[in-house]
Amino acid sequence: MSNLQAITQQLFDLSGKVAAITGAARGIGAQTARTLASAGAAVAVLDVSASGEELAAEIVAAGGKAYFWKLDVTQEAEVQRVFAEIVARFGRLDALVNNAGIEGANVPTHQMSLEQWRAVMDVNVTGVFLCTKYAIPALQQAGGGSVVNVSSMYGLVGGPDVPAYHASKGAVRLMAKTDAMLYAAQDIRANSVHPGFIRTPLLEEAFQKLGDPELIFGQMKQMVPIGKIGDPQDIAAGILYLVSPAGRYVTGTELVIDGGYTAR
Ligand code: NAP
C-alpha cells in the first residue's frame, strides 16, 4: 500500500474499537452497523425488533464482528444491563450511536394527546438520555470516545407536521452539545447528525398510510436542492466520520446531511 492510501485508511480505521448502535435492525442504524463494522469495529446491534439478530449474523458472515441485543431504549434496567453486557463481551466501548427513533402521531399540537406526546419523547429523548447515561462510564474507562445523536433536519428547522417528533429532534441536538461540554476534558466527543429525507422503512411506512409512497417520494425530491432522496449510506458515512480518528477534533457540532434542504 502506498503512503497516500495509508492516510485514508488510518483516518477511518476502527480496528479494536467497539461501537453500540441503537435502532440498528433496519434503515439508517443497520447501514451504520455495516459501515462501522467494515471499518473494523465490533458492533453491538441494539434494537427492540428481533430482526437485529439477522443483521448481526450478516455482519459476522461477511467477516465482521457483531452481536445482537434486544433492547428497548426506554427501559432503564434493560439499558443498564445491556451496556454492562456489551463491555463484558467485547471488553470495552468506544462509540455510542443514539439512532433509535419513532415518528409518532401526525396530528397538530392542539389535537395531540399527552400519551402520544410522551410516546415520542420516551423513545427519541429519554432513550438517548438513558443510553448515554450508561455508555459514558464505559467511554471514560476506554480513555475517551464518541457519542452521536441522530437528530433530523427537523431538529434545526420547523415543519408543519409531527410536532412531538420535531421537538424531540431539537432536544437531542442540544443534549449532544451539553455532553460535548461536560466530557470534552475526558476526550469524549458528542455530536448530532441531521438527516434530510432518507429512504428507509420509517418513511416508507409513513407514506404507505398516506397513499402511494412513490408519488410522495417524487414530490419530496422536488423540495431537495440536490433533487434526490437520500440513502442510509449517506448518513452512515457521516456517522463513520464522527466516530473515527478523522473526527477526533470535532465535538459539539451538527453534521447536516440533507441534500441542501436547510441551506435556503
Ligand atoms: P427505521 O427504519 O424506523 O428504523 C428505526 C429502528 O429503531 C427500527 O428497527 C425500530 O424498531 C427501532 N426502534 C423503535 N423504537 C425503539 C426502541 N424503543 N428501542 C430500540 N429500538 C427502537 O428508522 P430510520 O428511518 O432508519 O431512522 C433512524 C433515525 O434517523 C431515527 O432517529 C429517525 O428519527 C432519524 N431520521 C430519519 C430520517 C429519514 O428520512 N428516514 C430523517 C431524519 C432523521 P421497530 O421497527 O420494531 O419499531
Side-chain angles (χ1 to χ4, degrees), residues 22-30 46-51 71-74 98-103 122-124 150-154 165 169 193-203 205 220 232 235:
T22 68
R26 66 181 203 180
I28 291 168
L46 312 176
D47 204 292
V48 74
S49 161
S51 64
L71 173 67
D72 180 343
V73 295
T74 67
N98 281 312
N99 168 76
I102 58 170
E103 198 174 52
D122 243 24
V123 178
N124 295 11
V150 180
S151 174
S152 166
M153 63 183 178
Y154 290 118
Y165 178 82
K169 292 302 177 181
V193 167
H194 300 262
F197 301 131
I198 309 299
R199 191 163 189 135
T200 67
L202 180 132
L203 276 197
E205 284 171 10
M220 283 170 102
I235 308 307

Side-chain angles (χ1 to χ4, degrees), residues 74-227:
T74 67
Q75 302 303 309
E76 180 161 15
E78 256 183 63
V79 173
Q80 183 173 22
R81 173 182 57 77
V82 165
F83 278 84
E85 287 180 14
I86 293 168
V87 174
R89 184 174 190 93
F90 290 128
R92 57 189 290 136
L93 182 68
D94 302 278
L96 166 66
V97 182
N98 281 312
N99 168 76
I102 58 170
E103 198 174 52
N106 185 9
V107 289
T109 305
H110 72 285
Q111 289 171 358
M112 180 168 284
S113 69
L114 186 55
E115 289 69 33
Q116 287 172 324
W117 173 269
R118 282 188 174 144
V120 175
M121 289 297 161
D122 243 24
V123 178
N124 295 11
V125 181
T126 307
V128 171
F129 156 64
L130 289 174
C131 290
T132 306
K133 172 177 172 177
Y134 289 102
I136 289 288
L139 302 181
Q140 287 169 327
Q141 218 174 359
S146 172
V147 176
V148 178
N149 291 351
V150 180
S151 174
S152 166
M153 63 183 178
Y154 290 118
L156 299 169
V157 298
D161 56 2
V162 287
Y165 178 82
H166 296 159
S168 74
K169 292 302 177 181
V172 298
R173 165 184 173 270
L174 215 55
M175 285 158 73
K177 290 188 191 299
T178 303
D179 289 335
M181 306 292 282
L182 280 170
Y183 303 111
Q186 294 157 53
D187 208 13
I188 296 170
R189 300 177 295 102
N191 295 286
S192 53
V193 167
H194 300 262
F197 301 131
I198 309 299
R199 191 163 189 135
T200 67
L202 180 132
L203 276 197
E204 280 173 2
E205 284 171 10
F207 296 165
Q208 204 82 47
K209 286 182 204 145
L210 296 173
D212 179 2
E214 292 316 316
L215 192 73
I216 303 173
F217 275 121
Q219 289 163 350
M220 283 170 102
K221 271 187 209 169
Q222 290 167 21
M223 297 159 69
V224 182
I226 227 165

